[in-house]
Amino acid sequence: MSPEEIQQIFFVECEESLAAAEAGLAACQAGTQDADTVNAVFRAVHSIKGGAGAFGYSALQAYTHTFETLLSDVREGLVAIENDLVDLLLRALDTLADHVQSAREGGDAPADAVLIAEMEGAMAANAGAAAPAAAEPEAAPEPESAPETAADDDEPAPIDDLDLAALLDDLTSDFSAGSSEPAAGEEASAGQGKSWKVHLRPRSGAMRNGSEPLLMLRDIAGLGGECVYCDVSQIPPLDSFDVAQGYLGWTFAMPEGVEEDAVRDIFDFIGDDCALAIGNDEEIPEFQLEKTAQPPKPEPVATAPAPAPAPAAA
């Protein structure tokens, strides 16, 4: 199958995703705002964004990223579904359809700056409203008098080496606590019912095509999954660290009531760029280091043969 044929399949699936998102938002407008409806809209937009990144449609990918992030906040209850928000999402979907048409026909991308600002504003406004009220601060203790040898007020205070070390310990303590993956029958936490395991490791391609593995981990957590293990054993020394490699792997414990298809739908468009293993007896897929492609060697330039000497005059 040629790349052109694959792209045509992508655009057909875009039309299906746009129709599914429109149906979901229409249901939200009519009052059906349950988790399944919101998830259907999110998955539709997520599928378009994944394909846009894979095929290099940067304008479509950038716009859909903001759209998807807003829907993710709606799914997690960070942004409330109100009539104004549903109207904003419907307008955003219309512009998304224009983006898809522009990518398909090779025209100029639609103007989306105003809508992006509105979506970001909706996230910011609701984030502020959802933040819990801060507790009444206790009276601060009287500051100790500074020693006579203190530095001038204009100079920044030096960072205490011990404080920095403690900060680094806090960042790494969760990973250094355990060096082995939990046993197959081990539960995610005390008191949890039966669960089943999802093991995954993003490959280097997932870092390049806009799939954003972090959002996929959030999606798994949104289904009720709990991360029980993170494999950090493949992280190399800093001087050889490559940000595009999939050094990390994760194991999630999923609630018994979650369907396996719901997890696989999260990785629908990423394909082989994220290795996935499902089951309590499975393990995190092995790390594969992708070697940097070597530039092709230049072909030797053919040299013309030296011209034959002219015959001597009679």
Side-chain angles (χ1 to χ4, degrees):
M1 184 177 293
S2 67
E4 291 77 13
E5 291 173 325
I6 297 176
Q7 288 191 36
Q8 290 307 312
I9 294 175
F10 163 66
F11 286 121
V12 170
E13 293 180 346
C14 280
E15 295 298 333
E16 296 173 353
S17 296
L18 289 171
E22 183 178 10
L25 291 177
C28 289
Q29 194 175 42
T32 304
Q33 300 171 353
D34 56 276
D36 290 340
T37 303
V38 176
N39 284 337
V41 178
F42 174 86
R43 284 196 298 270
V45 176
H46 174 75
S47 295
I48 294 176
K49 195 201 77 167
F55 290 111
Y57 297 121
S58 56
L60 174 59
Q61 178 191 353
Y63 175 79
T64 316
H65 170 72
T66 304
F67 198 173
E68 178 190 47
T69 304
L70 174 56
L71 289 169
S72 179
D73 285 354
V74 173
R75 289 201 317 165
E76 296 176 11
L78 302 177
V79 176
I81 305 179
E82 299 174 348
N83 292 336
D84 290 344
L85 179 70
V86 176
D87 291 340
L88 172 59
L89 293 175
L90 284 169
R91 289 188 287 116
L93 185 64
D94 289 339
T95 301
L96 177 56
D98 293 340
H99 264 289
V100 171
Q101 182 178 0
S102 170
R104 169 180 266 170
E105 298 177 357
D108 294 334
D112 57 10
V114 174
L115 267 173
I116 289 177
E118 287 189 55
M119 289 189 285
E120 291 175 343
M123 288 184 279
N126 282 273
E136 192 69 27
E138 298 179 0
E142 291 294 330
E144 298 180 1
S145 57
E148 296 181 358
T149 57
D152 295 339
D153 292 341
D154 294 338
E155 296 181 4
I159 298 176
D160 192 309
D161 290 341
L162 293 178
D163 291 343
L164 180 59
L167 203 61
L168 292 174
D169 287 342
D170 289 341
L171 291 174
T172 57
S173 60
D174 290 343
F175 292 138
S176 59
S179 59
S180 61
E181 190 171 354
E186 185 178 340
E187 300 298 344
S189 59
Q192 179 177 326
K194 293 182 180 180
S195 65
W196 50 280
K197 298 278 191 335
V198 175
H199 315 271
L200 63 127
R201 186 188 299 276
R203 304 296 189 198
S204 60
M207 318 300 172
R208 293 193 305 263
N209 66 10
S211 298
E212 299 189 33
L214 181 59
L215 281 179
M216 298 180 181
L217 299 182
R218 290 178 59 186
D219 291 344
I220 293 179
L223 293 175
E226 182 176 349
C227 181
V228 295
Y229 178 71
C230 178
D231 177 21
V232 296
S233 63
Q234 301 300 326
I235 298 180
L238 188 60
D239 57 358
S240 59
F241 190 90
D242 180 358
V243 296
Q245 299 292 342
Y247 297 118
L248 300 178
W250 289 270
T251 293
F252 279 82
M254 305 302 299
E256 184 180 16
V258 175
E259 297 290 339
E260 180 178 327
D261 288 343
V263 174
R264 293 193 180 276
D265 285 345
I266 297 173
F267 304 90
D268 189 20
F269 254 99
I270 195 171
D272 294 336
D273 285 338
C274 183
L276 193 66
I278 294 180
N280 290 340
D281 296 329
E282 299 292 336
E283 297 179 352
I284 295 176
E286 295 182 358
F287 169 68
Q288 294 180 358
L289 180 65
E290 179 176 318
K291 297 181 179 179
T292 305
Q294 298 295 326
K297 295 181 179 180
E299 297 181 0
V301 179
T303 57

